[in-house]
Amino acid sequence: HVQAIIHGPKAAFHPRCRIDGNQVPKVDVLIFYCGEDLSVLLDTARAACSLDYPQDNFRVTVLDDSDSASEAIEALRSQFPNIFFVARRDKQEGWHKAGNINHGLKFVASLPGGPYELVTGLDVDMIPEKDWLRRLAPHFCLNSNLGILWANQRFYNVPLGDPLGQVMQLDYVQFVHSLRRDFSGVGSGTGTGWMASRVATDAIGGFSTDGLAEDFLTSADMARGGWSVAMLDEDVQWGLVPESLNGHLKQAQRWITAFLSLHQALERREVPMLKILSDIGTIAYALAMNLSYFGVPLMVLSGQPIVNIDCPDQLITILTLSFIDFVAQSIYGLLESWTADFTTYSWLEPNQFWLAPLYIGPLLRRWMPRLAAITMGKGLKLRPSIDAANKSSEGHYTSCWQRLKVVCTECSVLPHTFVLGTCIAGAVLFLHSAIHQIVASDGTPWRYIITHAGYPPALFLLSSALKNSCKPFWYALFVPPRPDREHYLAREDKSGLAYPTEKAKDQTHRHVSEWHLILILIYFCAVLVWSNVPCN
């Protein structure tokens, strides 16, 4: 991690390179489809078939897990003879994405010429750059032990300002977490756009079906099998973020469910100690997020002091130590954000509090299945990332009251309503008590303020909770413009090929603002100065 920070923004351990000419490895390109919009699939398929790569050295196969795209792909074969199609009707390989990938690996092995040297994967919405294969393939020529290589995931329909943090969270995973692991020699990847050695993939038995996080688990299997796993800082693919608040929440729920499903993989692999540690870490993280989101507002509402002191010296000591801790964590977070070129927050979790309730359902199903069955039914029905639900985007309603009604009825805002109400009620009671202290203490209420809601770390969490609880309602009232997908694409009339415009690509590189953190730091400094006021 220190190495990653020293090397600066988006430091890449693996140098960028390109392979030219016609003497290149043969590559199988797999596209994963599960009933999404056919126009999205066709744009990805056309771009994949039109890569700047010798036509005899790659072939494209659409892996259909819904058996609904055969006619559309067959129509493309007259234009692109190197495209193939296979539908998975027998789910013996597993019902989720990894099973579809393994089914595709078996299919391409049965094609004339057998399996190619390398295999790549694209999600249905990911349009690859024309030189995608030329930028990934040389790494396997330079390192014969490379098992799998992961590349950046980028998006071309990010709304102005990214109000839901859809890209920010993924940038943290890619440019902080994944690159940090890459520097330490234990790389792991997430998502799509990967390239793998076919020999290595066959050696580990294909992609892992032990859990929903097939990307992380397959990286672990590669490393355990003695193969290298690498992360490459290359923008070679451009996809879609969900077009609605409801769609984003469903995608976040899928990611959380995949994260919490890792214990299933550890159970199947008979690693009891790691399973216990995984369970402890998962529960601790989920509890910390929910306690911060719900607990701090409730503590302020109770009117009880957050810190108990007997004299000013204790107050100064506590404030000094908490200030040092807060500044140290902020500097560490800023350095992490710097490695991502400031496209993610220095304090990620406080900006993701509003997603904390999504952890409750999967945890209940894991530890209290009967209670979960009674209160939540059968649970989440996982759907494709770009699904039909997004067609009912809140942005399609012209009236803000109509949008607010849709958000309130379809987006599970009850927890956020509770937090928002608690924050407002707690703030009103705190201000009432503070005014009473001003009257009672001749204008010196600092001790009361600082030991209650004005305690800087608590104020940081309280203001973060308030900001997060407002997010769904703010999004409904001031939903950013959501143009049609064609608005972001430059399409060739004759061939139908479509690629994201440069303007659409630039939207995903915007830096985040840290005004909330700056204001809290200024307040913290002011509190340290005023903490020397004598107690009455």
Side-chain angles (χ1 to χ4, degrees), residues 323 446 450 456 520-532:
F323 178 76
W446 284 104
I450 294 172
I520 291 296
L521 283 172
I522 293 174
Y523 171 74
F524 218 142
C525 292
V527 166
L528 278 176
V529 172
W530 282 98
S531 63
N532 291 304

Side-chain angles (χ1 to χ4, degrees), residues 376-451:
M376 301 180 182
K378 294 182 179 179
L380 176 74
K381 181 180 179 182
L382 296 179
R383 296 183 179 180
S385 297
I386 309 298
D387 60 10
N390 288 342
K391 295 181 180 178
S392 61
S393 171
E394 300 84 24
H396 292 181
Y397 295 91
T398 55
S399 167
C400 64
W401 298 113
Q402 286 180 310
R403 294 196 302 268
L404 189 61
K405 180 181 177 181
V406 171
V407 168
C408 291
T409 56
E410 297 183 8
C411 298
S412 303
V413 297
L414 183 60
H416 311 301
T417 305
F418 172 78
V419 173
L420 178 59
T422 305
C423 287
I424 294 174
V428 170
L429 290 175
F430 169 70
L431 289 175
H432 177 269
S433 299
I435 293 173
H436 177 73
Q437 288 292 322
I438 292 175
V439 175
S441 59
D442 299 325
T444 56
W446 284 104
R447 178 172 174 176
Y448 174 84
I449 293 174
I450 294 172
T451 57

Side-chain angles (χ1 to χ4, degrees), residues 211-213 253-265 278-279 281-283 285-286 358-367:
L212 296 174
Q253 180 73 89
R254 279 189 295 271
W255 289 345
I256 290 171
T257 303
F259 170 66
L260 296 178
S261 72
L262 290 176
H263 72 273
Q264 298 175 352
S278 174
D279 286 340
T282 299
I283 294 173
Y285 182 81
L358 297 180
Y359 284 88
I360 297 174
L363 281 177
L364 283 178
R365 295 185 191 100
R366 167 73 175 113
W367 295 101

